[in-house]
Amino acid sequence: MSGIAHHLIKRGIDAGRETYRTDFKNGEDKPFGNPHAVAAALSITAIVWFLAMSAIHYVYGGVVATLTMIESPTATAFTIHPAQSDEVDAPLLSGDEKKSNTTEPELFYVKSKPITSKIRTTIKHLVAEAGPWSRFRGLQVAVVYHFVHHMIFQLLTALIGHRMIPQSIAAVATAVILCRLQMLWTHVVISAPSEKKWYRRFPTIEQGKKIILPTTVWAIAEQATIYVPITLFYAFDLEGYARNPENFGNLSEMQQKSVMLASLAVMMSGLVTAALIAVPASVTLKRVQASLLSEEHDTIVPFDRTFGGKVQPEVVGGKGVVSMLEAWQTFDWAARLRLIGLYAKIFAIQITTCILFVSLAVFEVRMINGDYVLY
């Protein structure tokens, strides 16, 4: 998304520069209006755009999505006491007859609407429970994680190479090395406000061992989402058309349709890989991590620590962690549809944000350099 916005802004600036340099009346070149003002305005816009996109990705794609993955909707119990008899002359019955007609009270369970059913209700709940900055909960851990992740990844790629396969191996290895730090972020995000500092809540080595496998599966799924479309891109020989778009115009109508279908297949491969592999792997990892949350910390949204009775604490002889299969199976279809809906909303918000900022950048260039720009 950021690459598309960057490309559009750059094309807009280049078009404005080339158009403004030419005086349409006498054909003489004119200097570009006010390059320093344009650079300053676009720099500020780019910074604000980056911060806005980062906030959308972190708050909605990180915090809200994680809470959606682990929430277990609660159920409210209602007891209904039926009348002793439906007969019109029930008051005239004897005591023994009344006892024989007495029925047991009926118990009904009504599921509450999940907090994470909407982005607005999730944010409202977070603010009510933990304050206005709670939407950015875990941000300190995330900054540390990404900084250390970058350093380790660069070190590993320097050792084993920068090609596609070595980079994938380095990415997976880095994720496994930092699995405890990633689990710490999940615990900070899903737990209620605590007086304990985040760096004092670091998971133990034993807990870290329990998430090595789901972390590895998740990291491989993430790499598949990236490299499956890239592999198809080169397999369909689309690189030449990306480097030189003019080559596409030289093709016959049938060849152009084939190239368009190949491009569509590349894009769809990324979406399918993400939907069928990456998202289930992410859900599974988050739920396994959540099952290892310490008993001393409550969750900020309803969460069934037993996963429907499948998990028992270690203190009573249980394994104390949910298995990968159980983690996914207990994530019912209602929750899956909520998560898919959330991702669709996030995508729409990101597209809208990019369009707004690209439009703003074009407007700034036109306002600073006159009406010639982008005509």
Side-chain angles (χ1 to χ4, degrees):
M1 189 61 61
S2 59
I4 295 174
H6 172 77
H7 177 72
L8 291 176
I9 292 174
K10 184 177 183 298
R11 290 292 298 272
I13 295 172
D14 291 343
R17 182 183 291 110
E18 294 301 322
T19 307
Y20 192 79
R21 279 178 174 172
T22 302
D23 189 337
F24 293 104
K25 292 182 180 180
N26 51 29
E28 297 179 357
D29 287 344
K30 297 172 64 177
F32 188 52
N34 193 335
H36 298 294
V38 171
L42 292 182
S43 296
I44 294 173
T45 302
I47 292 173
V48 176
W49 169 80
F50 173 78
L51 293 176
M53 292 295 290
S54 298
I56 292 170
H57 175 73
Y58 185 81
V59 176
Y60 301 150
V63 175
V64 176
T66 299
L67 295 177
T68 303
M69 293 176 188
I70 66 104
E71 183 182 10
S72 304
T74 57
T76 304
F78 293 92
T79 303
I80 298 180
H81 297 275
Q84 290 183 334
S85 175
D86 294 330
E87 299 291 337
V88 178
D89 57 348
L92 302 178
L93 296 174
S94 64
D96 293 336
E97 290 175 321
K98 287 183 180 181
K99 288 180 181 180
S100 63
N101 289 334
T102 301
T103 57
E104 294 294 330
E106 296 183 22
L107 190 62
F108 293 91
Y109 289 94
V110 178
K111 277 192 174 182
S112 303
K113 189 174 183 180
I115 295 172
T116 55
S117 59
K118 296 181 180 179
I119 293 177
R120 182 176 58 84
T121 56
T122 307
I123 298 300
K124 185 177 179 180
H125 175 77
L126 288 175
V127 172
E129 293 291 327
W133 290 102
S134 59
R135 66 193 70 192
F136 294 102
R137 53 193 6 242
L139 183 60
Q140 292 176 316
V141 184
V143 171
V144 173
Y145 175 84
H146 286 293
F147 175 77
V148 179
H149 186 284
H150 175 75
M151 299 298 292
I152 296 177
F153 178 76
Q154 292 299 324
L155 176 61
L156 292 178
T157 52
L159 293 175
I160 65 177
H162 292 82
R163 293 184 178 274
M164 185 170 68
I165 294 179
Q167 279 195 340
S168 295
I169 295 174
V172 174
T174 303
V176 173
I177 292 171
L178 298 177
C179 65
R180 290 168 62 201
L181 185 57
Q182 189 192 49
M183 180 162 60
L184 172 62
W185 180 84
T186 300
H187 288 177
V188 172
V189 167
I190 68 174
S191 59
S194 173
E195 295 294 331
K196 204 171 185 179
K197 298 295 184 181
W198 63 267
Y199 48 81
R200 296 186 182 277
R201 298 176 54 181
F202 220 88
T204 64
I205 296 177
E206 290 300 320
Q207 288 178 318
K209 292 179 180 178
K210 295 178 180 179
I211 61 168
I212 289 178
L213 179 58
T215 300
T216 303
V217 172
W218 166 77
I220 293 174
E222 289 287 307
Q223 293 304 303
T225 304
I226 298 171
Y227 287 109
V228 165
I230 291 177
T231 301
L232 291 178
F233 178 81
Y234 287 107
F236 290 142
D237 197 23
L238 297 176
E239 182 182 11
Y241 304 109
R243 292 180 179 274
N244 299 302
E246 300 83 10
N247 296 339
F248 182 78
N250 298 329
L251 299 175
S252 64
E253 183 178 354
M254 183 63 68
Q255 290 174 323
Q256 288 182 349
K257 290 181 179 180
S258 298
V259 172
M260 292 174 64
L261 288 175
S263 301
L264 180 61
V266 170
M267 290 186 290
M268 291 302 298
S269 68
L271 293 175
V272 172
T273 306
L276 299 182
I277 300 177
V279 171
S282 180
V283 170
T284 300
L285 175 61
K286 293 302 179 186
R287 291 175 69 79
V288 173
Q289 291 173 337
S291 70
L292 291 167
L293 180 66
S294 174
E295 291 288 345
E296 65 178 298
H297 298 290
D298 294 326
T299 54
I300 200 165
V301 295
F303 173 58
D304 179 14
R305 292 176 182 264
T306 69
F307 290 83
K310 298 179 183 297
V311 178
Q312 296 296 328
E314 289 182 323
V315 294
V316 296
K319 54 187 177 180
V321 62
V322 68
S323 69
M324 293 179 61
L325 182 59
E326 291 169 345
W328 176 247
Q329 288 178 340
T330 53
F331 190 65
D332 60 23
W333 273 105
R336 296 175 192 179
L337 292 177
R338 286 204 312 273
L339 185 62
I340 293 173
L342 172 63
Y343 283 140
K345 292 175 185 176
I346 294 172
F347 181 74
I349 293 172
Q350 289 177 327
I351 289 290
T352 303
T353 303
C354 285
I355 292 174
L356 289 176
F357 274 93
V358 170
S359 302
L360 178 60
V362 173
F363 175 76
E364 288 172 343
V365 174
R366 293 191 57 158
M367 287 296 293
I368 294 173
N369 293 287
D371 292 335
Y372 283 128
V373 179
L374 301 182
Y375 270 129

